[in-house]
């Protein structure tokens, strides 16, 4: 998740490849709609997690792997805790080997009844597990081995799960534009940010901004900022012994009745 910190999270970033890789424990979390500029891969070791894409809930169980394409708006919900292997792979790595990075999307099912698809899925998961082992052992030359496994993983994805449904170039431009609003909201979410204020960040009229934001994010701006606040509130409920009113106030949530309606 972007700009969110899980407890007990250790991110390994290869200096040259800029790949984020972690084996982590998440005791419980909720992250509202967001996207990454990288391909995100989540392999659940134990427990489970929900990943919501286009309002469809995918429950990822132990031993299953979710591949989220760059630029795909999604949210995550983990109610019971899990251990996972987490990876973010910049598109630039594919760009070095392929002619057009924007033409690369992957369609990787969580599970399948097709024997060949299952075999292809297992190859991907085997590589991910081996990457974790290499990072845990850190023997001499481990970065070379990690990099070779990374390219093996990308090769398996490209050979067996390339979707052939690239995003239009203007979608990437819209995502870059919307990032300004998201960054501003994350910086000011504790304050009473108005629609007019948010719209002014990208120089739009409030009425058009409302339609634009919902089209891009699948929710209204008010829903987004409330869910952003809830994600921080949820983490504080797990991590602190503060009274509820103090947690709500510290994250800019002033309406207790609305909180109960959204949270419960």
């Amino acid at each position: 998740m972007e700009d969110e910190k899980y407890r007990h999270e250790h991110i390994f970033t290869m200096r040259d490849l800029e790949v984020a890789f972690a084996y982590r424990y998440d005791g419980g979390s909720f992250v509202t709609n967001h996207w990454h500029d990288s391909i995100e891969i989540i392999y659940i070791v134990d427990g489970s997690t929900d990943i919501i894409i286009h309002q469809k809930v995918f429950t990822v169980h132990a031993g299953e792997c979710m591949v989220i394409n760059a630029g795909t708006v999604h949210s995550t919900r983990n109610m019971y805790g899990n251990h996972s292997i987490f990876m973010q792979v910049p598109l630039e790595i594919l760009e070095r080997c392929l002619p057009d990075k924007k033409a690369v999307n992957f369609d990787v099912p969580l599970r399948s009844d097709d024997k060949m698809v299952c075999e292809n899925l297992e190859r991907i998961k085997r590589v991910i597990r081996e990457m974790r082992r290499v990072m845990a052992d850190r023997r001499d030359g481990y970065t070379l081995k990690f990099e070779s496994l990374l390219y093996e993983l990308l090769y398996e994805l490209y050979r067996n799960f390339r979707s052939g449904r690239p995003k239009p170039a203007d979608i990437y431009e819209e995502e870059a534009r919307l990032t300004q609003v998201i960054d501003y909201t994350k910086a000011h979410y504790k304050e009473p940010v108005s629609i007019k204020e948010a719209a002014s960040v990208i120089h739009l009229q409030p009425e058009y901004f409302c339609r634009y934001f919902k089209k891009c994010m699948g929710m209204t701006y008010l829903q987004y900022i409330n869910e952003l606040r809830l994600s921080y509130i949820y983490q504080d409920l797990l991590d602190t012994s503060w009274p509820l009113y103090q947690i709500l106030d510290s994250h800019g949530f002033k309406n207790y009745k609305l909180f109960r309606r959204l949270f419960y």
Side-chain angles (χ1 to χ4, degrees):
M1 77 188 238
E2 193 172 69
D3 296 328
E4 298 284 331
K5 298 296 180 185
Y6 288 98
R7 295 174 297 164
H8 310 299
E9 179 184 53
H10 299 283
I11 295 290
F12 171 76
T13 303
M14 296 194 70
R15 181 178 59 186
D16 296 327
L17 294 179
E18 297 184 350
V19 173
F21 186 88
Y23 176 72
R24 67 190 186 182
Y25 169 67
D26 179 5
S29 63
F30 167 70
V31 184
T32 190
N33 277 3
H34 64 288
W35 72 90
H36 306 281
D37 295 328
S38 303
I39 301 164
E40 183 172 5
I41 301 172
I42 301 172
Y43 176 90
I44 300 298
V45 177
D46 61 58
S48 65
T49 195
D50 290 337
I51 299 174
I52 301 94
I53 301 175
H54 303 311
Q55 299 182 329
K56 183 177 180 180
V57 179
F58 299 88
T59 300
V60 190
H61 297 285
E64 295 182 334
C65 177
M66 186 76 172
V67 178
I68 304 171
N69 288 300
T72 297
V73 176
H74 62 285
S75 61
T76 61
R77 181 178 60 214
N78 170 25
M79 302 301 292
Y80 305 108
N82 65 55
H83 287 88
S84 68
I85 301 170
F86 165 86
M87 192 183 330
Q88 288 182 346
V89 183
L91 290 175
E92 286 73 10
I93 294 177
L94 285 169
E95 188 180 29
R96 298 174 189 174
C97 307
L98 303 173
D100 184 3
K101 68 175 181 179
K102 293 180 182 177
V104 179
N105 269 337
F106 302 115
D107 188 2
V108 184
L110 281 177
R111 55 195 75 91
S112 175
D113 295 326
D114 186 281
K115 182 180 179 181
M116 182 173 293
V117 174
C118 288
E119 290 174 353
N120 292 336
L121 285 172
E122 186 52 42
R123 276 198 292 271
I124 287 174
K125 290 184 276 191
R126 177 191 60 78
V127 174
I128 294 171
R129 292 192 296 266
E130 179 66 9
M131 293 171 84
R132 179 203 166 190
R133 187 194 65 77
V134 167
M135 289 306 305
D137 293 345
R138 299 208 175 198
R139 296 177 179 175
D140 186 33
Y142 74 94
T143 55
L144 292 173
K145 181 62 174 177
F146 183 89
E147 184 170 345
S148 71
L149 289 167
L150 172 65
Y151 281 105
E152 182 180 350
L153 175 64
L154 293 175
Y155 170 72
E156 292 292 343
L157 287 171
Y158 186 78
R159 184 181 70 168
N160 298 312
F161 296 104
R162 185 174 29 156
S163 73
R165 296 195 300 271
K167 288 185 176 183
D170 60 345
I171 295 296
Y172 289 86
E173 295 173 4
E174 292 300 330
E175 288 169 354
R177 189 184 192 192
L178 197 61
T179 296
Q180 300 176 60
V181 179
I182 300 303
D183 289 345
Y184 182 87
T185 305
K186 287 181 176 179
H188 297 275
Y189 79 95
K190 298 179 183 180
E191 306 164 14
V193 182
S194 67
I195 296 293
K196 183 177 181 180
E197 183 179 349
S200 68
V201 173
I202 51 176
H203 312 291
L204 294 180
Q205 293 296 321
E207 294 78 8
Y208 178 77
F209 171 80
C210 289
R211 296 193 298 271
Y212 168 77
F213 191 92
K214 186 171 184 179
K215 177 183 176 183
C216 293
M217 295 293 287
M219 60 172 57
T220 67
Y221 182 75
L222 182 59
Q223 288 173 321
Y224 172 77
I225 195 170
N226 280 333
E227 286 201 1
L228 180 63
R229 289 165 177 154
L230 282 176
S231 68
Y232 288 106
I233 290 167
Y234 183 83
Q235 204 64 51
D236 277 351
L237 287 171
L238 292 173
D239 294 342
T240 75
S241 57
W242 297 347
L244 180 58
Y245 76 86
Q246 185 178 346
I247 293 175
L248 294 181
D249 188 65
S250 69
H251 294 295
F253 219 110
K254 308 299 183 183
N255 189 330
Y256 181 69
K257 289 184 179 179
L258 177 61
F259 167 75
R260 286 185 60 85
R261 183 163 60 83
L262 293 175
F263 193 79
Y264 292 102

